[in-house]
Amino acid sequence: MISASAFYDIFTAMVPLYVAMFLAYGSVKWWRIFTPDQCSGINRFVAIFATPFLSLRIICSINPYKMNLRFILADTLQKLLILFLLVLWGSFSSWGSLDGVITLFSISTLPNTLIIGIPLLSAMYGVESNGLLIQIVVLQGLVWYTLLLFLFELKAKMVKGPQITVSMGSEVSPVDAQSSGMEVVYFSL
């Protein structure tokens, strides 16, 4: 059973985060303080500046030689197992797709540890437990987000297919190009 003081610590860690989310939602939906263009600008600022700088601050605070290898191995194995099961589902299920694998992998294994996880873990287990979560953040930033980028590129390549260009840069179908005597050049990334 959770004690009243532990509940209070968790509550005080989570309330500021959820109040900020509620105010952000209300300022767009009900009060019309921000326009969709302004929200897009705020999102770009967070994606381009705030998140990378916050991640860099967290990543620079860790000593890679003092990481808990058993903890890292356990986290890596659970993520690889989930990815393996999702790839099997995506390959053999009629509902499975690469989009579904990417989305479910990111939802199930890559939580928002940087913003919500660190304050919540500090409230639950104390400040000394932050080291473990920081290790997870470092690996997410260096390994798992890179894997997601690879999967997104793979998806884009599968959807786009080979590009056919003609001397002026216009695109033509391979049948039209070959029937008119044009040289077909395939570019791949």
Side-chain angles (χ1 to χ4, degrees):
M1 185 75 185
I2 190 168
S3 68
S5 65
F7 178 77
Y8 177 76
D9 291 340
I10 294 169
F11 185 76
T12 56
M14 296 304 293
V15 165
L17 301 171
Y18 283 102
V19 167
M21 285 191 276
F22 172 76
L23 290 175
Y25 179 79
S27 66
V28 173
K29 185 76 172 175
W30 301 314
W31 307 311
R32 309 243 190 263
I33 296 172
F34 296 111
T35 65
D37 288 338
Q38 291 169 331
C39 291
S40 176
I42 292 169
N43 286 337
R44 282 185 58 84
F45 173 79
V46 168
I48 293 172
F49 294 112
T51 302
F53 282 119
L54 183 58
S55 299
L56 182 65
R57 182 178 151 238
I58 295 293
I59 289 171
C60 289
S61 69
I62 194 165
N63 183 354
Y65 298 108
K66 292 186 178 180
M67 293 177 83
N68 187 336
L69 294 179
R70 291 177 64 194
F71 182 69
I72 299 298
L73 181 64
D75 181 63
T76 302
L77 287 176
Q78 68 94 11
K79 286 179 179 161
L80 288 175
L81 177 66
I82 289 173
L83 183 62
F84 176 72
L85 292 174
L86 286 173
V87 167
L88 283 178
W89 170 76
S91 300
F92 298 114
S93 172
S94 61
W95 295 321
S97 66
L98 186 58
D99 288 337
V101 169
I102 293 170
T103 302
L104 290 174
F105 179 73
S106 63
I107 288 173
S108 64
T109 62
L110 303 174
N112 190 353
T113 53
L114 199 58
I115 305 301
I116 295 176
I118 291 175
L120 185 60
L121 195 67
S122 297
M124 290 171 59
Y125 301 112
V127 179
E128 61 276 353
S129 65
N130 280 354
L132 294 176
L133 196 56
I134 289 172
Q135 292 174 26
I136 296 298
V137 170
V138 169
L139 285 178
Q140 277 184 201
L142 298 177
V143 176
W144 301 110
Y145 289 148
T146 307
L147 177 67
L148 276 178
L149 285 174
F150 172 76
L151 290 173
F152 281 126
E153 288 294 326
L154 179 68
K155 177 187 154 241
K157 193 169 223 27
M158 289 172 61
V159 169
K160 195 173 186 181
Q163 291 296 310
I164 301 170
T165 59
V166 184
S167 60
M168 296 304 289
S170 61
E171 294 187 10
V172 216
S173 74
V175 175
D176 293 340
Q178 289 175 348
S179 65
S180 63
M182 295 180 177
E183 180 182 343
V184 179
V185 180
Y186 290 95
F187 289 100
S188 63
L189 296 175

